[in-house]
Amino acid sequence: MDFELKTLAWNRLHQEKTDALVVLVDEHFTPSGDDALSRLAGGALRANDFEAKAGRLLPAYRAEGIAATRVLLVGAGDGSARSVRNAVGAAVGALKSPRVAHITLHLGGLRDLSAAVLSAAEQAVADASYVYTFTKPKAEASALKRVTIGVADAPALKGAHAVAQATVAGVAFAREWANRPANHSTPTLLANAATTLGKAPNCKVEVLGPKEVAKLGMGSFMAVAQGSEEPLRFIVLRYSGAAKAEAPVVLVGKGITFDTGGISIKPSAEMDEMKFDMCGAASVLGVFKALTTLKPALNVVGLIPACENMPDGRAVKPGDVVTSMSGQTIEILNTDAEGRLVLCDALSYAERFKPRAVIDIATLTGACVVALGAVRSGLFSADEALAQALQAAGESALDPCWRLPLDDDYAEGLKSNFADVANIAGRMAGAVTAAKFLQRFTAKYSWAHLDIAGTAWKSGAAKGATGRPVPLLFNYLLSLADQGVPAPAAKAGTPAAKKTAGKTTAKAGG
Ligand code: BES
Ligand code: MN
Ligand code: ZN
């Protein structure tokens, strides 16, 4: 889909030639002009045939004095990013027709058009018009090919538009790979997808196989993979947008391309949804798609341990003890608690990057779904500043998370008589005990964990990946790039200090 940002004055809207002119108006809006559109909107508002409440729609067809074939007045309520997202979603949904290929979406009727609101509008268009076709080629692709976004001052929003476009591309990439069935997104195919991202300038991708992973001593990761015919892959992505000396943020994504539970096998009902157990990995790929699109000034590393969790004659068994890359031994009491087993070795690998922060993203526990449902992802971090930054990034990207505790008392149940640690604790607080397990492998850096088991995909009739938490993560990364990083030892006036001064992201404004 092509998005274009364009300066459009309200009194010229009626001249716009487009299949559908979609005009958002918030509660502050009062039409004052004498053009055809002002008359239409004013008349409907006065007659109480239309209200600016979020999601209200008033369609018109071949309206007198209006060049667009269809007009859709859309209420945007208080004009917040959330209301705008819902309003645009409703509008694009209502315009699904093979005859609507070009929409002009006018946002000039909103009092406060912030970067967050613009991004919400663009994301909503993309979400509402996404159609999965990879293994359903006859599915009717969206007829919508072109979206013109009308604003009062396009140059002022150019930077925000670039950020929004990168986010849209990142979410789409994550969604697509997460949706592909497990036989079409094996560890090898996931690694190939990463490799295509590595073709972009500033991005390098390295893929390790079973031999290299064995050499690294990733006994915990290998234990999960050993029951599958599909060879494991350890994917390392590097985005270099800043000076080499700048410490990277490391993102670690759980890449279980299918989770049967292994010998601790899951019930059959809804087991198909365990193809989504690589949504953490997909979100890392999505963030790299966004990074290579926008090219902000920061360094990011992505790590993806990818494998299947299968029952087999060679599969790991309950009670088996394995040695992780960290040297800690792990008693695998439940082979279905496999996410933490692949993540812990990736977290140890992350140490070599001397990271500024490490964030792992995982569809880790059913307990997190029980705690927070599909609204907020679970956030765990002992680093106050990191937790707050991630929480804030989630709020403004409409991709929210909620912090859960990490008290050491929660780790009691992980004690083992046969190893340094067990991979499960009791029935209680399962999302927290999983996080406590991971925390044991993160002593060397600042760390946060996002449990996205409830937010990464939808079940039921709307079954499919959401692309979350790409918006949260990308927004967080851009907030770091905005701050820039002062060169550690350089005094004012030295060449190093000059080089760093005023360094911000590639985005202008926003
Ligand atoms: N991938 C699952 C978590 C999951 C389950 C996500 C359902 C979304 C929906 C994970 O590997 C798992 O099986 N976790 C177990 C852990 C338990 C054995 C301690 C769980 O949550 O039941
Ligand atoms: Mn599992
Ligand atoms: Zn799993």
Side-chain angles (χ1 to χ4, degrees), residues 450-466:
L450 285 166
D451 193 331
I452 58 167
T455 53
W457 78 89
K458 292 179 184 158
S459 307
K463 194 190 288 179
T466 60

Side-chain angles (χ1 to χ4, degrees), residues 254 259 266 274 277 334 336 338 363-366 424 453 457:
K254 172 178 172 182
D259 181 11
K266 288 180 180 295
M274 283 299 116
D277 213 17
N334 189 319
D336 197 11
E338 85 297 340
T363 48
L364 202 61
T365 65
I424 52 162
W457 78 89

Side-chain angles (χ1 to χ4, degrees), residues 159-232:
H161 177 59
V163 171
Q165 282 300 291
T167 311
V168 162
V171 167
F173 199 84
R175 237 179 139 176
E176 178 60 28
W177 276 97
N179 277 336
R180 292 192 185 183
N183 61 329
H184 294 275
S185 87
T186 60
T188 303
L189 291 168
L190 214 54
N192 293 349
T195 304
T196 62
L197 292 172
K199 298 225 162 77
N202 294 352
C203 189
K204 286 203 167 63
V205 175
E206 194 187 343
V207 179
L208 311 187
K211 269 192 202 135
E212 292 97 333
V213 163
K215 219 167 150 196
L216 284 163
M218 294 184 166
S220 185
F221 177 25
M222 285 159 57
V224 176
Q226 77 191 36
S228 170
E229 296 288 325
E230 287 290 337
L232 65 78

Side-chain angles (χ1 to χ4, degrees), residues 118-145:
L118 181 67
S119 188
E122 296 191 26
Q123 192 62 62
V125 174
D127 281 347
S129 51
Y130 171 86
V131 181
Y132 173 84
T133 57
F134 190 70
T135 47
K136 198 178 174 183
K138 287 189 193 125
E140 206 171 305
S142 171
L144 188 57
K145 293 287 173 304

Side-chain angles (χ1 to χ4, degrees), residues 20-68:
L21 177 63
V22 178
V23 183
L24 257 70
V25 295
D26 63 23
E27 286 153 355
H28 309 286
F29 174 79
T30 38
S32 50
D34 190 34
D35 54 282
L37 193 70
S38 294
R39 286 198 299 274
L40 191 154
L45 281 164
R46 273 190 303 277
N48 283 328
D49 271 324
F50 177 68
E51 276 182 297
K53 277 195 182 149
R56 287 291 168 85
L57 303 176
L58 182 73
Y61 185 67
R62 294 198 188 283
E64 181 79 43
I66 293 178

Side-chain angles (χ1 to χ4, degrees), residues 8 24 49 97 130 143 166 182 204 223 228 234 264 289 329 336 342 344 348 372 394 461 474 481 485 489:
L8 257 180
L24 257 70
D49 271 324
S97 149
Y130 171 86
K204 286 203 167 63
S228 170
F234 189 76
S264 314
K289 178 73 186 176
T329 56
D336 197 11
V342 305
C344 70
S348 296
L372 297 174
F474 192 51
V485 178

